[in-house]
Amino acid sequence: MPRSIATAASSATADDPTARRASHDRRVALSVTTVGILAATLNSSILLISLPAIFRGLGLDPLAPQNISYLLWMLMGFLLVTAVLVVTFGRLGDQYGRAKLFNLGFLIFTVGSIGCALVPNSGGAGALEIIVWRVVQGVGGAMLMANSTAIITDAFPPARRGFALGVNQVAALAGSFLGLVIGGVLSEWDWRAVFWVSVPVGVWGTWMGYRTLHDKPRDTSRRVVIDWWGNLAFGIGLIALLVGVTYGLQPYGGHTMGWTSPFVLTCVGAGVVLLVAFVMIENRVADPMINMRLFRVRAFAAGQAVNLLASMSRGGLQFMLIIWLQGIWLPLHGYAFEDTPLWAGIYMVPLTLGFLVAGPASGALSDRFGARAFATGGLLLTAATFLGLILLPANFNYVLFAGLIALNGIGMGLMAAPNSAAIMNAVPAAQRGAASGIRATGMNAGMVLSMGGFFTLMAVGLASRLPQAMHSGLVQAGVDPAQATAASHASPVGILFAAFLGGNPIQELVPHASPAVAGRIDSGSFFPNLIADPFRHGLTIAFTASIVMLLIAAGASLLRGKKFVHEDADGADAVDALAGESVGEAVAREGAALAVPAAPGEDVAYEAAVAGRARD
């Protein structure tokens, strides 16, 4: 459209109170929801890097088998509760108001953060208290995640939805990785600080949300029906499945893993049966929790498949990289074991930077060109980086490592926002909360399954090589053969978690070595060299599974079809209105329309320009 038309449109509408109010509402929606997602994801990853300090502060032994469950539930409890509740809260947001549920979620999340910081006990009692408050945080986080994407989709027209969701997705992934650095710094001071840091953000978000984020008037004449049977089948089924995965990682009956435990097998079997029953229930009730007919829309079904597979492929990536850095690479380069959590977070910064570069740009460009090329290309690039990580030696060149994880972040950045926009564009407005909940459930459930899967595959790889490597290495270092044999029978999962927690388990596995032998086996290089080959074997197995899932996800992305916007989406007529602009213009106009502080009338002028092009 000629600049004169855009200028005229701007002058005609810049003083329109309704248009200016719409511009303000979009900025409020984007800012508050972005901070909410940032707080939720930062809180999850900040715990990941701070667990060594938390275990030390509570006085817990990371090698004790009974303490492995505390570690797993501190990590996975938040994600499990979020995965179970997020669809239900999305559905309730559709019925009662998305902003209302979102604001309540911010409040609950803040209360949970305060509770975690104020736990009065130590040892196992203190760990249980943290787990309970993490569950409370998970309830609030589920309300935030379920409704944030739907609120943005409501606020932004299809022609700008990808960019807005890109900003939101960048906040989610940036929170995940920035938490690693912030947690490393704060845990060096006081482990309780890693929970206090979320409180000011939560207070601001709660105040700002209740003050400025409000729902539009809704039709209150329609009777609201809760799908209780569907909710129960879904919630109990998913909990049972994820509980089974969690306890499958713990030793049982002399085995290094718990997958032969009757309890684990019962949980997994019952979970699968209940989830199948849930699908049958949803196809028969009049007002289902999840409208299964949405999956008949190819763009929606393909997008959800990509979302789940991508989360499963890389949900455990942070764990593997942290173990690699803390247990092997950093000690080999002179870092003390107790200092490795902080430096592991710092050395993983390129992963965050890669996503920050690609996320907003891919979201803006997908508004113009569709999601298929960006999502598929991003998945293939991510798969290539996993292959590159497999080929690296355990004691790698950091420049190569940094380049690979930066490209990994770019690949996932290329996929995340376009795929989310494609999912939300494919559903009718009345189903956006449920669709957002399904997306968040797939992402969180995929991450929990990925953590369990990565640890399982890694433990299998370690179990096949670590006992022999440990026995021969200890004997060569002068340890008594009987002591070496006893140490080699230690649980690979316990050793893996000890490395994850930034500890040197050799000191506990061989406690009565002579001073000369202790000097050799307690050195910073002995344990890393001992586990390097078994770790690389387990890493190859885990990352190969990730590559397979990413390639399947890329195939699903290719099959999603051309860009699709549901016919009742507000502003659907303007989706193709920008067909004449270049790639550079696509990125530039998004930034201009959302500039902070905003240029007077810029957002309104942009909307008028889009409307003018649509008419032309």
Side-chain angles (χ1 to χ4, degrees), residues 21-57:
R21 179 66 185 176
S23 303
H24 172 73
D25 289 347
R26 290 193 185 113
R27 291 191 181 88
V28 167
L30 185 59
S31 61
V32 176
T33 57
T34 297
V35 171
I37 291 300
L38 178 66
T41 55
L42 185 144
N43 180 269
S44 182
S45 63
I46 204 172
L47 185 75
L48 178 67
I49 204 70
S50 305
L51 277 172
I54 294 173
F55 263 56
R56 287 195 301 269

Side-chain angles (χ1 to χ4, degrees), residues 65 79 114 122 138 170 183 190 273 328 374 406 430 491 516 523 612:
L79 292 174
I114 296 173
S122 60
V170 164
D190 187 340
V273 169
I328 299 176
F374 295 99
S491 167
S523 67

Side-chain angles (χ1 to χ4, degrees), residues 344-362:
I346 293 173
Y347 277 112
M348 288 176 62
V349 166
L351 190 64
T352 305
L353 296 179
F355 194 92
L356 291 174
V357 168
S362 65

Side-chain angles (χ1 to χ4, degrees), residues 3 8 66 105 108 129 133 135 140 151 177 232 265 269 488 550 605:
R3 178 176 295 274
Q66 67 271 19
I108 294 174
E129 289 166 357
W133 284 112
V135 168
I151 289 171
F177 297 119
L232 289 172
L265 294 175
S488 68
L550 286 166

